[in-house]
């Protein structure tokens, strides 16, 4: 039996062809390939071996994108998401935990995500959380990862008087960061496809000529993957229940929001609903679970998939092409490792991606105080406490309380009251320092 690509992916029904899908896949890959540099750079700061994170990043991207392409038939690419990787590193740093324990939390969140994806509880959970909190969480994570970029590059440094202050802008690494930031911003404003990747590439070339980057090779055999280097028991010993919930909720909201956004752009939504949504969410949940077993933070659908859709991608063949290209990146470990270890090359991406995540703030009704303040406190606390979980907890506690005292308690879904109670118990009896 001969495999028919056109029939399998329903190319004709979706008004596309193989050439268009191949180009769309390449476009999506170029806009999101920065993750193979940035994710290992962030997680290696938490003690995870660089090669292990690199392999886990690529493996989860391949598995998630393949499942999305082959079973959901959507041009949506999957890979470890921004924000939760920085949160992962902060949990290890602030709690004094081993990365194996936090990987255990990611694994359990992935299992819960898989179970939710198979039931109607997924829809219940998504519908129960008010839009203002969802937008607040996304924006808070945006500020959080932008701050990580500023801190890693040295643009922001500890300050005894104000906690943080501006670094020495004459330092060569900071100068390179600023140059790299403006190069990337200019490329993005000029609508260059793959602006983030090409911005990193040009910054790396400058670093090479200034002596801030050196390399001994470009291509090599892929490093050996590490499997199940995790500590599930430690999750319960250290009471990391809020961390699990944070990983689960953010991944669920991020993935769902991104999928709907891409589906809307591509014209897939029917009566406001997304066909094959269960298969699509299973792709992300599987990538998160498998990724944790190899050594990376949760995966999510990438909003950069819209670039492939804009290039004409309409089927899962686009996602399969992305998976294949991620597979090829396995052979470029030497150059990726040296580039990722120069903060000035990766920091601009963190700062710019952080700004992308602010868009939802325009959709919050800032004149309705009982809607605005919970979102505000989430946005404020995430970067200031270096904890996504703390921001989520306080937001979920504040929202139902304000609604109750303003006489709007019935507007709040019962699930939110349950979460508020769980987070109150967590913060009183199992506080995270």
């Amino acid at each position: 039996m001969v495999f028919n690509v056109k029939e399998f992916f329903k190319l004709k029904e979706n008004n596309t062809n193989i050439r268009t899908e191949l180009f769309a896949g390449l476009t999506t890959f170029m806009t999101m390939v920065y993750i193979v540099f940035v994710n290992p750079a962030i997680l290696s700061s938490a003690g995870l071996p660089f090669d292990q994170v690199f392999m886990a990043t690529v493996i989860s991207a391949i598995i998630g994108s393949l499942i999305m392409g082959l079973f959901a038939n959507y041009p949506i690419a999957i890979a470890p998401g921004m924000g939760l990787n920085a949160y992962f590193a902060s949990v290890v740093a602030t709690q004094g935990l081993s990365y194996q324990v936090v990987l255990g939390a990611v694994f359990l969140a992935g299992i819960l995500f898989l179970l939710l994806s198979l039931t109607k509880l997924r829809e219940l959970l998504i519908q129960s959380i008010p839009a203002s909190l969802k937008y607040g969480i996304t924006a808070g994570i945006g500020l959080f990862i932008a701050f990580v970029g500023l801190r890693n590059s040295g643009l922001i440094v500890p300050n005894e008087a104000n906690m943080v202050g501006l670094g020495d802008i004459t330092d060569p690494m900071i100068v390179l960061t600023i140059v790299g930031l403006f190069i990337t911003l200019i490329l993005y404003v000029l609508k260059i496809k793959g602006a983030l990747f090409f911005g990193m590439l040009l910054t790396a070339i400058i670093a090479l000529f200034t002596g801030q980057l050196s390399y001994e090779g470009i291509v090599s055999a892929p490093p050996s993957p590490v499997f199940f280097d995790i500590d599930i028991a430690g999750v319960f010993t250290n009471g990391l229940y809020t961390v699990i919930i944070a990983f689960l909720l953010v991944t669920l909201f991020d993935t769902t929001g991104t999928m709907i956004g891409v589906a809307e752009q591509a014209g897939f939504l029917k009566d406001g609903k997304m066909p094959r949504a269960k298969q699509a969410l299973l792709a992300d949940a599987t990538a998160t679970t498998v990724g944790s077993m190899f050594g990376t933070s949760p995966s999510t659908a990438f909003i950069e998939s819209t670039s492939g859709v804009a290039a004409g991608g309409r089927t899962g063949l686009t996602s399969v092409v992305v998976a294949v290209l991620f597979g090829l990146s396995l052979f470029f470990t030497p150059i990726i490792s040296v580039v990722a270890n120069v903060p000035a090359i990766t920091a601009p991406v963190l700062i710019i991606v952080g700004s992308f995540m602010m868009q939802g703030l325009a959709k919050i009704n800032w004149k309705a105080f009982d809607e605005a303040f919970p979102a505000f406190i989430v946005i404020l606390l995430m970067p200031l406490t270096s904890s996504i979980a703390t921001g989520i907890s306080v937001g979920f506690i504040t929202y139902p309380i304000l609604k109750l005292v303003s006489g709007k308690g019935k507007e709040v879904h019962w699930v939110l009251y349950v979460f508020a109670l769980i987070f109150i118990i967590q913060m009183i009896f199992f506080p995270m320092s």
Side-chain angles (χ1 to χ4, degrees):
M1 183 178 179
V2 179
F3 178 74
N4 191 314
V5 174
K6 294 181 180 179
E7 290 183 6
F8 183 86
F9 291 105
K10 296 181 171 59
L11 300 185
K12 187 176 181 180
E13 292 90 326
N14 286 284
N15 298 313
T16 185
N17 54 58
I18 293 177
R19 182 180 178 182
T20 300
E21 294 293 302
L22 291 176
F23 181 71
L26 176 61
T27 303
T28 297
F29 176 75
M30 293 303 293
T31 58
M32 64 181 287
V33 68
Y34 67 84
I35 196 66
V36 302
F37 298 89
V38 178
N39 200 49
I42 293 176
L43 294 185
S44 60
S45 69
L48 270 154
F50 185 94
D51 286 352
Q52 180 180 347
V53 183
F54 171 68
M55 287 298 292
T57 301
V58 175
I59 289 171
S60 57
I62 291 173
I63 290 175
S65 299
L66 279 178
I67 295 175
M68 180 68 74
L70 297 175
F71 296 98
N73 198 25
Y74 283 127
I76 302 173
I78 304 287
M82 293 295 294
L84 288 179
N85 46 14
Y87 175 52
F88 184 107
S90 73
V91 172
V92 173
T94 59
Q95 302 299 304
L97 301 168
S98 68
Y99 68 79
Q100 289 92 341
V101 172
V102 188
L103 281 176
V106 177
F107 175 76
L108 292 174
I111 295 296
L112 288 174
F113 194 3
L114 275 170
L115 295 175
L116 283 173
S117 299
L118 293 170
T119 67
K120 291 186 177 181
L121 286 175
R122 177 196 72 245
E123 296 174 12
L124 177 66
L125 190 59
I126 293 172
Q127 293 170 1
S128 67
I129 311 302
S132 58
L133 280 182
K134 292 176 185 175
Y135 295 133
I137 289 170
T138 302
I141 294 173
L143 287 180
F144 179 48
I145 62 175
F147 180 77
V148 169
L150 292 169
R151 185 187 63 199
N152 287 353
S153 65
L155 270 168
I156 295 295
V157 295
N159 182 290
E160 290 185 7
N162 302 309
M163 295 182 68
V164 295
L166 185 66
D168 179 8
I169 59 173
T170 62
D171 180 274
M173 189 61 69
I174 294 180
V175 172
L176 181 61
T177 301
I178 296 172
V179 171
L181 178 61
F182 276 99
I183 287 173
T184 311
L185 286 171
I186 291 169
L187 290 175
Y188 191 81
V189 169
L190 292 175
K191 302 186 184 302
I192 303 297
K193 291 177 180 177
L196 297 183
F197 171 72
F198 287 117
M200 290 178 64
L201 183 62
L202 291 173
T203 308
I205 292 172
I206 294 172
L208 187 63
F209 282 104
T210 58
Q212 292 166 280
L213 181 150
S214 60
Y215 66 96
E216 296 180 358
I218 296 177
V219 179
S220 73
S224 300
V226 178
F227 186 70
F228 221 72
D229 182 24
I230 64 179
D231 180 3
I232 297 175
V235 177
F236 300 101
T237 303
N238 292 281
L240 299 184
Y241 308 111
T242 305
V243 175
I244 295 174
I245 294 174
F247 280 139
L248 174 63
L249 290 182
V250 175
T251 306
L252 184 64
F253 297 155
D254 192 14
T255 295
T256 305
T258 299
M259 286 181 183
I260 290 174
V262 177
E264 188 174 31
Q265 181 188 0
F268 294 139
L269 294 184
K270 296 180 180 179
D271 299 322
K273 295 183 179 180
M274 183 176 174
R276 306 183 303 283
K278 181 181 291 186
Q279 294 92 318
L281 281 169
L282 278 172
D284 185 34
T286 303
T288 293
T289 308
V290 173
S292 69
M293 291 191 283
F294 282 95
T296 186
S297 48
S299 295
T300 185
F302 264 58
I303 194 62
E304 284 83 354
S305 300
T306 55
S307 65
V309 171
R314 289 295 181 274
T315 74
L317 181 55
T318 295
S319 300
V320 171
V321 172
V322 172
V324 171
L325 292 172
F326 267 111
L328 292 176
S329 72
L330 286 172
F331 298 94
F332 294 88
T333 311
I335 191 64
I336 288 174
S337 62
V338 295
V339 167
N341 284 317
V342 179
I345 299 174
T346 55
V349 173
L350 294 173
I351 297 167
I352 293 171
V353 170
S355 74
F356 293 162
M357 301 176 77
M358 298 292 109
Q359 296 177 16
L361 294 182
K363 300 178 182 179
I364 296 175
N365 183 3
W366 293 104
K367 293 182 179 179
F369 189 74
D370 53 0
E371 291 283 337
F373 185 81
F376 165 76
I377 201 68
V378 169
I379 297 165
L380 183 69
L381 288 181
M382 281 188 184
L384 293 183
T385 63
S386 293
S387 172
I388 290 173
T390 298
I392 290 175
S393 298
V394 177
F396 274 54
I397 292 169
T398 307
Y399 187 90
I401 291 177
L402 292 185
K403 287 293 185 180
L404 273 174
V405 298
S406 61
K408 302 175 184 176
K410 291 184 179 179
E411 295 179 7
V412 181
H413 198 285
W414 65 266
V415 171
L416 210 63
Y417 289 112
V418 173
F419 270 120
L421 182 60
I422 291 173
F423 286 135
I424 289 172
I425 294 171
Q426 166 78 33
M427 297 188 78
I428 295 174
F429 297 104
F430 308 99
M432 295 181 66
S433 57

